[in-house]
Amino acid sequence: MDRFRMIFQYFQSNSESVMNGICGLLALASVKMYTSFDFSCPCLPQYNVAYGLGIMFVPPVILFLCGLILNRQSLVMLEEWRRPPGHRKKDLAVIRYMCSSIMQRAMVAPVIWIIVTLLDGKCLICAFSGSVDPERFVGFANVSTVQVQQLLAKVPCKDDELMRNNTSRKAVSRYLRCWSQALGWSIFLVLIIAAFLARWLRPCFNQATLLQARHWSNYIDIEQKIFEETCCEHSRLFAHKCILHFFESMRQEIKLHSFSLPREGEGAEGEEDLLQGITDQDQVNKLLKTWYYEKPPLDVSQAHQR
Amino acid sequence: MDKFRMIFQFFQSNQESFMNGICGIMALASTQMYSAFDFNCPCLPHYNLAYGMGILLVPPFILFLLGFVLNNNISMLAEEWRRPQGQRGKDPSVLRYMFCSMAQRAMIAPAVWVSVTLLDGKCITCAFCTSVPLEALGNASHPRLSQGEIQRVLARIPCKEIYNGQQLIANEVAVRYLRCISQALGWCFVLLMTTLAFLVRSLRPCFSQAAFLKSRYWSHYIDIERKLFDETCAEHARCFAKVCIQQFFEGMSTDLVAAHCHLPRKAPADAGEAAEKLLGITDQGTMNMALKSWHRCKPPLHLHPPALPTGNGWAGEGQSPTHASAPRRETAAYYSWV
């Protein structure tokens, strides 16, 4: 059981690594969600943009909110922010540190979704196929304006009867995919550079404040966990005492009603103690009925005084 | 016992993560159920809507009820709600907390079913294929048909093999349109649910943190108390059974001694414990009689006090009625097999 205690202690002291683990899982879930999602562009002039951009931006918002909900530390931070000062002052630097670390972790999965979407290209092709310049593509150059919009809107649908063997469709598709992938890689590069700079340059600014903020945010987290554990342990002991007290009071009631002889036998004392003087079917039934109809008060002070 | 206590503590303090685990399993089961289900649109005008909406809404309701059934705490909630007040007051905020936390967990699997159904698109395509806007999407040169005919043709949209309305409206166009609407609804539903969950979780510390801590403590307490009471009763039942059976065997051997006038065989000092455990039954015939008596005539659920020490250990039972005082007789039930 030392093993369980060790695992428990490990998780307690490394809540940061637990959160990093959750962050990674959410990122993997985001990729899995994208690959299992059946993207089907409506190929209609007004609906394409809404659908394409919707698929690109709504799931990241959902993933961001999920990242905030699943992170235990966000609750801890909110509680610390809203609590009355009491005997303990509030340190805004700690709250700011916690907030920024929560936000950074919650942003990973949405960013991954957006990058995967852009690198795949389907969303942008669907959203912007109606906005390309038809003059640049042979198949669409000499078509009337109304019809060209309809045709361009059908570009993302390879199996449509009008688009089945259309080479201009492939040209438009490749063009848009090229833009999409360029955008995807650029965003990825910018974010990586920003992360690198932030991590590398941070020790140059306010390192001491940072160490303090990190220590106290860790402390608040551990303190809350230990408080919850202590409450659980306390309620277990409280319940134990309450039940013993209940059995004891039942035994006394039975003694009062039955005037039984004082027991002198030594042999089965151990078991008799455990039986608490309740040795009869009727007595057991009475005990169970009393437990339901008249639960004992939540007060074990008399048990202590005994 | 330390081992069990540690495991117990681990689960207690991580009771929430245990319940979350069950919740996650039910969500996965819901996804698996959907992919294993063989969706078969009837492709008939009035049946489509009923079938599609039925598949969208009935399984979530079942999953919601299942979420409550599988939750152990539902009986605890019902018990706490219905118990008479007695010496302990009832706190409605504790009941509300227990109900809310159970309902939130039970809502997850139905929400997953509805989202997966909408994102897949088959249900909405089946249910609303007769409501496709023909003026916007239909072919310009479609034959004039009566309303009923149009409905019948449109109802076959989900069944590609029997669809015969290509001149009216292309099958792929209609399916893409309906699926787009369905997926948009699905994502909006997921966004709404996530936003609600986020608001519920983040607004609570801002408003009622102290009351929340109190309700949470006492709801855990009620759970622990119930489990400890069950444990104590089980322990009591074990001791009760042990003493009852011991007294049964003692009673048997006393009666046998009385019936057969056997001298009590004093076991040699070094046979010790084993001889004591035999309780005076040392041959096949006696054992068979004991077993038959156990089956035919179980002893009453009433334990005698332990025998007062006398010179002759076996005859102790015979002497106790003479010592019993009158008030004791009403609770004592002397068992005799003879």
Side-chain angles (χ1 to χ4, degrees):
Chain A
M1 279 317 107
D2 253 351
R3 205 166 37 157
F4 269 118
R5 186 174 287 153
M6 275 189 57
I7 292 177
F8 200 46
Q9 273 176 350
Y10 174 77
F11 276 121
Q12 268 190 340
S13 57
N14 276 353
S15 55
E16 288 228 350
S17 31
V18 168
M19 287 187 302
N20 288 344
I22 293 187
C23 181
L25 277 174
L26 215 52
L28 282 175
S30 144
V31 173
K32 182 83 180 118
M33 247 167 69
Y34 183 78
T35 46
S36 57
F37 175 63
D38 187 15
F39 186 92
S40 86
C41 194
C43 295
L44 297 165
Q46 300 89 10
Y47 291 75
N48 274 7
V49 179
Y51 186 83
L53 293 181
I55 298 296
M56 200 154 92
F57 291 118
V58 167
V61 173
I62 293 170
L63 288 166
F64 181 70
L65 291 175
C66 277
L68 291 179
I69 290 170
L70 292 176
N71 195 341
R72 220 188 126 268
Q73 224 191 20
S74 53
L75 266 184
V76 171
M77 182 205 77
L78 273 173
E79 279 169 24
E80 176 66 16
W81 183 39
R82 298 297 303 174
R83 70 168 171 94
H87 289 295
R88 188 189 286 188
K89 282 194 322 241
K90 277 199 273 198
D91 189 354
L92 283 178
V94 172
I95 296 174
R96 266 199 309 267
Y97 172 84
M98 285 168 84
C99 192
S100 78
S101 99
I102 292 165
M103 290 289 169
Q104 281 167 28
R105 285 188 177 89
M107 290 287 277
V108 172
V111 161
I112 288 189
W113 175 279
I114 291 178
I115 290 177
V116 167
T117 307
L118 287 173
L119 292 179
D120 189 35
K122 285 192 291 227
C123 273
L124 239 65
I125 295 175
C126 183
F128 295 112
S129 68
S131 321
V132 297
D133 182 10
E135 301 304 320
R136 302 168 71 162
F137 301 97
V138 173
F140 301 112
N142 299 320
V143 186
S144 69
T145 330
V146 172
Q147 272 208 322
V148 84
Q149 281 302 308
Q150 297 269 350
L151 277 178
L152 283 174
K154 288 195 195 294
V155 160
C157 299
K158 288 193 265 262
D159 300 323
D160 193 81
E161 47 197 351
L162 290 171
M163 290 283 141
R164 216 158 271 165
N165 293 317
N166 196 326
T167 43
S168 309
R169 178 200 71 78
K170 289 182 196 156
V172 173
S173 186
R174 271 201 304 269
Y175 172 75
L176 286 169
R177 180 172 272 156
C178 156
W179 269 108
S180 170
Q181 288 181 343
L183 198 58
W185 283 117
S186 312
I187 290 178
F188 194 30
L189 184 66
V190 164
L191 284 175
I192 292 282
I193 290 177
F196 172 75
L197 284 175
R199 213 162 149 90
W200 211 46
L201 293 179
R202 197 166 44 173
C204 306
F205 302 99
N206 278 336
Q207 181 67 352
T209 322
L210 178 73
L211 286 175
Q212 278 176 4
R214 193 163 68 182
H215 176 267
W216 288 115
S217 83
N218 215 19
Y219 170 81
I220 292 170
D221 193 24
I222 290 178
E223 192 188 48
Q224 213 209 28
K225 278 193 192 114
I226 294 182
F227 181 73
E228 278 167 27
E229 256 177 61
T230 313
C231 279
C232 275
E233 182 64 32
H234 185 268
S235 64
R236 203 185 67 81
L237 291 170
F238 197 113
H240 189 55
K241 276 254 148 42
C242 199
I243 289 168
L244 282 180
H245 192 199
F246 175 74
F247 272 84
E248 183 64 35
S249 63
M250 288 260 59
R251 188 214 303 229
Q252 295 202 335
E253 217 177 284
I254 287 163
K255 258 197 204 153
L256 235 68
H257 286 141
S258 58
F259 305 105
S260 53
L261 288 174
R263 276 183 262 119
E264 292 173 26
E266 288 295 325
E269 256 322 307
E271 240 108 51
E272 294 296 331
D273 268 348
L274 287 165
L275 285 172
Q276 310 270 6
I278 291 153
T279 51
D280 197 313
Q281 184 180 24
D282 290 331
Q283 290 168 3
V284 172
N285 286 343
K286 181 165 190 292
L287 180 139
L288 294 172
K289 203 161 86 161
T290 313
W291 178 256
Y292 175 69
Y293 278 106
E294 283 179 27
K295 276 212 165 69
L298 291 166
D299 179 5
V300 294
S301 51
Q302 292 127 324
H304 267 292
Q305 282 160 18
R306 188 157 292 124
Chain B
M1 267 310 115
D2 227 8
K3 193 166 53 160
F4 283 113
R5 182 166 294 160
M6 274 239 42
I7 294 180
F8 192 55
Q9 264 179 359
F10 180 75
F11 275 122
Q12 277 302 322
S13 53
N14 281 344
Q15 197 188 34
E16 298 236 337
S17 35
F18 184 64
M19 295 304 303
N20 288 345
I22 295 209
C23 204
I25 289 175
M26 274 202 64
L28 282 175
S30 144
T31 326
Q32 194 54 33
M33 246 169 72
Y34 181 78
S35 41
F37 175 64
D38 186 18
F39 188 89
N40 247 316
C41 195
C43 294
L44 296 166
H46 301 290
Y47 291 71
N48 276 6
L49 185 64
Y51 186 84
M53 289 286 106
I55 299 295
L56 183 64
L57 298 172
V58 169
F61 183 66
I62 294 171
L63 288 168
F64 183 67
L65 291 178
L66 202 64
F68 271 108
V69 163
L70 290 179
N71 195 336
N72 286 337
N73 293 343
I74 187 75
S75 59
M76 181 176 81
L77 172 65
E79 211 181 282
E80 178 65 15
W81 183 37
R82 298 299 302 167
R83 72 167 170 93
Q85 198 129 350
Q87 296 176 43
R88 186 189 289 187
K90 277 202 273 195
D91 191 354
S93 68
V94 173
L95 291 170
R96 266 200 309 269
Y97 170 82
M98 283 161 66
F99 181 73
C100 282
S101 85
M102 272 190 263
Q104 280 169 23
R105 288 193 173 88
M107 290 276 277
I108 291 188
V112 168
W113 175 280
V114 171
S115 323
V116 168
T117 306
L118 288 175
L119 290 176
D120 188 35
K122 287 194 289 233
C123 272
I124 297 287
T125 306
C126 183
F128 295 108
C129 54
T130 49
S131 320
V132 166
L134 276 176
E135 309 77 30
L137 305 173
N139 292 332
S141 58
H142 66 86
R144 298 256 167 253
L145 294 168
S146 69
Q147 200 57 27
E149 273 291 314
I150 290 179
Q151 291 289 304
R152 267 197 291 278
V153 168
L154 288 178
R156 295 200 194 109
I157 285 174
C159 305
K160 289 197 205 352
E161 318 84 44
I162 58 171
Y163 184 64
N164 56 354
Q166 280 299 111
Q167 305 98 339
L168 194 58
I169 178 172
N171 190 294
E172 302 86 28
V173 171
V175 166
R176 274 199 306 258
Y177 172 78
L178 289 165
R179 185 180 263 172
C180 159
I181 302 276
S182 173
Q183 287 180 343
L185 277 175
W187 283 117
C188 291
F189 177 76
V190 176
L191 182 65
L192 184 68
M193 289 284 119
T194 317
T195 312
L196 270 176
F198 174 73
L199 284 175
V200 163
R201 205 162 147 93
S202 55
L203 289 183
R204 199 244 308 139
C206 304
F207 291 110
S208 53
Q209 183 67 356
F212 168 75
L213 287 174
K214 192 177 80 155
S215 312
R216 191 171 67 174
Y217 179 87
W218 289 115
S219 89
H220 279 173
Y221 172 82
I222 291 169
D223 189 29
I224 290 176
E225 191 189 50
R226 191 176 68 139
K227 286 190 180 108
L228 272 177
F229 184 75
D230 288 342
E231 258 177 55
T232 314
C233 282
E235 189 62 35
H236 187 272
R238 205 185 68 80
C239 295
F240 198 112
K242 194 164 165 187
V243 175
C244 194
I245 290 167
Q246 209 164 2
Q247 289 183 349
F248 169 73
F249 273 97
E250 278 168 10
M252 284 279 344
S253 64
T254 316
D255 293 333
L256 284 169
V257 162
H260 296 116
C261 303
H262 280 167
L263 284 172
R265 263 175 270 137
K266 291 256 186 312
D270 53 346
E273 255 182 63
E276 275 179 30
K277 282 193 180 152
L278 284 174
L279 299 168
I281 296 172
T282 47
D283 64 275
Q284 188 181 26
T286 320
M287 191 64 218
N288 287 343
M289 244 189 303
L291 292 171
K292 206 159 76 167
S293 167
W294 180 254
H295 172 66
R296 290 246 178 89
C297 183
K298 278 207 164 73
L301 290 165
H302 176 85
L303 306 177
H304 315 293
L308 299 171
T310 60
N312 186 353
W314 294 116
E317 283 291 328
Q319 286 186 13
S320 51
T322 61
H323 285 242
S325 54
R328 215 179 133 253
R329 206 166 276 146
E330 44 203 76
T331 54
Y334 179 58
Y335 164 66
S336 172
W337 192 64
V338 175

